[in-house]
Amino acid sequence: MDRANGLVAMIEDQINGAVDEDGHVQLVEKVENRDGTVRSGPSPLVTLHQKERQQLVTAARAAIDAGFQAAWDSAVRERQDKIFDLVESVVRGLGHDPGSPEVVAVVTRALAEFAVTTSARSELLAVPADDEDGVSW
């Protein structure tokens, strides 16, 4: 993104340096056709500036989206950890082994039912893969 930003700034400097005899920045280029008519359009620098600026916007949007997604994923993992810590504490408090197949089956089923009834996006309650902590839910 720094490269795109630097290129846009360099092109802007070039555009600001392209002035006519009256000192006005030339944003329009006039070209004489073979038949003697004159057509005008944006100067090549302005066209290049627009294209590079769009690439900068695209890169910035991608960076923002990636940062948001990383923050969202982190929040989801944090919430999952808290939920599973709570469930494990309750299971242990009732005198059960959180790793026993019966407990894992009941907890998994209960969380799946809860996730289905609360939201179409149930990322917060999705059962994560075994993280090798001895508890496989």
Side-chain angles (χ1 to χ4, degrees), residues 93-106:
L94 292 171
H96 298 286
D97 174 16
S100 77
E102 296 84 13
V103 171
V104 170
V106 169

Side-chain angles (χ1 to χ4, degrees), residues 16-135:
N16 290 332
V19 294
D20 62 13
E21 59 274 353
D22 296 327
H24 297 106
V25 175
Q26 293 194 312
L27 303 177
V28 177
E29 182 176 75
K30 294 180 181 178
V31 178
E32 188 172 333
N33 296 321
R34 291 182 189 182
D35 62 1
T37 60
V38 176
R39 65 178 169 84
S40 59
S43 80
L45 283 175
V46 170
T47 302
L48 180 61
H49 179 264
Q50 290 170 339
K51 288 179 183 177
E52 287 300 322
R53 188 104 170 132
Q54 185 56 46
Q55 286 183 353
L56 178 60
V57 167
T58 301
R61 185 173 295 130
I64 289 169
D65 289 347
F68 173 80
Q69 188 62 48
W72 176 258
D73 291 346
S74 177
V76 166
R77 280 190 301 278
E78 183 179 322
R79 181 61 64 196
Q80 283 176 337
D81 289 345
K82 287 181 179 183
I83 290 169
F84 293 120
D85 288 346
L86 172 67
V87 170
E88 182 179 1
S89 177
V90 169
V91 168
R92 285 190 193 283
L94 292 171
H96 298 286
D97 174 16
S100 77
E102 296 84 13
V103 171
V104 170
V106 169
V107 170
T108 301
R109 188 172 47 254
L111 288 175
E113 289 171 6
F114 181 72
V116 168
T117 60
T118 57
S119 170
R121 281 188 69 155
S122 57
E123 295 171 7
L124 293 176
L125 295 173
V127 177
D130 184 7
D131 60 359
E132 299 178 13
D133 66 354
V135 178

